[in-house]
Amino acid sequence: MKRVLLTGAGGYVGRYMIDRLAERGFEVHGVTQQVREADSRLTWHVVDLFDDAATSALCADVSATHLIHLAWETEPGQFWESENNALWQQASESLLESFVRCGGRRAVLAGTCAEYDWSDGHCVAGDTALRAQSAYSRSKLAFRDSALALAEQSDLRVAWARVFFSFGPHERKRRLVPAVTLALLAGERASCTDGEQLRDFMYVPDVADAMTAVADSDFEGDINIAHGEATTIKHLVELIAARLDAIERVDFGAFPRPVNDPPRITADVSDLESIGWAPHHTLDAAIDETIAWWRKQAA
């Protein structure tokens, strides 16, 4: 029996992993901080991951074979330098140690593309230098290092999944795609930078599917979770605006790019291809589904 402990199971990415894990034969145990309705797809566990004793008891109770750890600080505008990053690092290390102590052997841990040195622009796992420049990325990278050290001392097999630029339903409203979509749906203007920055955007159900595929594979080490195609921010925004017949209400260049904003951040996805995974959604289809979801929320 493949039994997985999934943190962040009710969150932005985790909610899409539940069905995908079940389809691959996993018994799913989701970690949450609030009581949730019973769900036939998984067993919920209400646990504060900052409580080491509770985390240890959780791991002993579930006896999972697999761990997928998504939970972390994510509040837009705050998570980059939040003091909670250090707390999440400590809690994550404690969780992983408890998981191994209770017999767990396979862990997929969510990292970030912000761990990379972005000066080159194209990020290749195992090749591109690492240069964390925020509390968030430094804490993630420190957790990665401790996880790999633990793997060397035990039978643990770790995949460190660096997630790039995701979008889709349930995203925080202050982020790019929902901010533009909601403004245009409301008949308002949407303001952006010039939008010429190249990014690797990935639809959140595809993020979940890719991470599930990694968990169900033998891959170990660093792996990029990305679509594998470069798209400018301007093109992404124009796709949204065109569908809402609102191109004239987008103000490109209304404010400057953030300081030190790299002109290009894209990903090599050959490792995902090596495990037989490819995106299920085109950018056009993903935008259509995302707009439909936000339109329903705004109704």
Side-chain angles (χ1 to χ4, degrees):
M1 167 64 73
K2 297 184 294 186
R3 182 179 296 131
V4 62
L5 185 63
L6 174 64
T7 74
Y12 171 54
V13 176
R15 69 179 66 235
Y16 291 103
M17 298 190 74
I18 297 169
D19 284 338
R20 288 162 172 80
L21 287 164
E23 289 167 359
R24 287 178 175 265
F26 285 90
E27 177 186 303
V28 184
H29 291 258
V31 180
T32 180
Q33 286 190 309
Q34 57 187 11
V35 176
R36 295 179 181 269
E37 293 183 4
D39 190 327
S40 61
R41 302 173 301 165
L42 79 165
T43 300
W44 286 112
H45 300 267
V46 182
V47 175
D48 179 0
L49 292 175
F50 288 170
D51 184 332
D52 288 350
T55 296
S56 180
L58 168 69
C59 291
D61 178 45
V62 174
S63 295
T65 58
H66 292 61
L67 169 67
I68 301 175
H69 182 40
L70 305 175
W72 203 276
E73 179 76 10
T74 59
E75 185 63 31
Q78 299 180 23
F79 73 92
W80 288 112
E81 298 300 340
S82 172
E83 295 179 357
N84 287 339
N85 284 298
L87 298 178
W88 271 113
Q89 178 192 333
Q90 296 167 10
S92 299
E93 291 172 353
S94 177
L95 168 65
L96 189 60
E97 290 167 1
S98 293
F99 169 71
V100 171
R101 190 164 56 247
C102 294
R105 291 295 176 264
R106 173 62 167 162
V108 176
L109 311 173
T112 169
C113 65
E115 296 165 33
Y116 283 118
D117 181 344
W118 285 340
S119 59
D120 178 61
H122 188 61
C123 303
V124 181
D127 186 10
T128 302
L130 303 177
R131 187 164 69 94
Q133 300 185 65
S134 65
Y136 173 69
S137 53
R138 284 192 296 272
S139 295
K140 285 279 190 178
L141 198 52
F143 175 41
R144 169 206 179 253
D145 291 345
S146 67
L148 295 181
L150 181 59
E152 290 181 356
Q153 302 163 12
S154 65
D155 294 329
L156 178 66
R157 294 178 294 113
V158 173
W160 184 259
R162 291 200 176 101
V163 181
F164 277 67
F165 300 91
S166 66
F167 71 92
H170 302 284
E171 191 175 5
R172 299 294 183 93
K173 292 182 179 180
R174 292 174 57 191
R175 288 169 58 87
L176 173 67
V177 170
V180 169
T181 302
L182 289 171
L184 297 181
L185 282 172
E188 301 170 356
R189 304 192 69 81
S191 298
C192 308
T193 66
D194 59 28
E196 296 298 337
Q197 308 97 307
L198 276 170
R199 298 291 185 263
D200 193 320
F201 292 103
M202 191 179 198
Y203 191 38
V204 66
D206 279 344
V207 173
D209 195 66
M211 293 191 71
T212 302
V214 172
D216 202 26
S217 76
D218 294 326
F219 186 90
E220 295 183 56
D222 298 341
I223 187 167
N224 292 334
I225 305 297
H227 192 281
E229 293 185 4
T231 304
T232 65
I233 291 174
K234 183 175 183 179
H235 179 61
L236 183 72
V237 171
E238 286 176 337
L239 286 177
I240 298 169
R243 281 156 173 75
L244 297 176
D245 194 24
I247 289 290
E248 73 285 351
R249 286 193 280 116
V250 179
D251 298 321
F252 290 107
F255 51 84
R257 299 184 194 181
V259 176
N260 298 323
D261 191 27
R264 176 187 177 109
I265 306 173
T266 56
D268 173 81
V269 293
S270 57
D271 289 327
L272 275 181
E273 293 170 351
S274 75
I275 65 169
W277 189 88
H280 297 283
H281 298 82
T282 64
L283 187 59
D284 284 331
I287 288 295
D288 286 340
E289 291 185 13
T290 300
I291 290 174
W293 189 86
W294 281 113
R295 192 190 298 275
K296 185 176 181 180
Q297 307 314 303

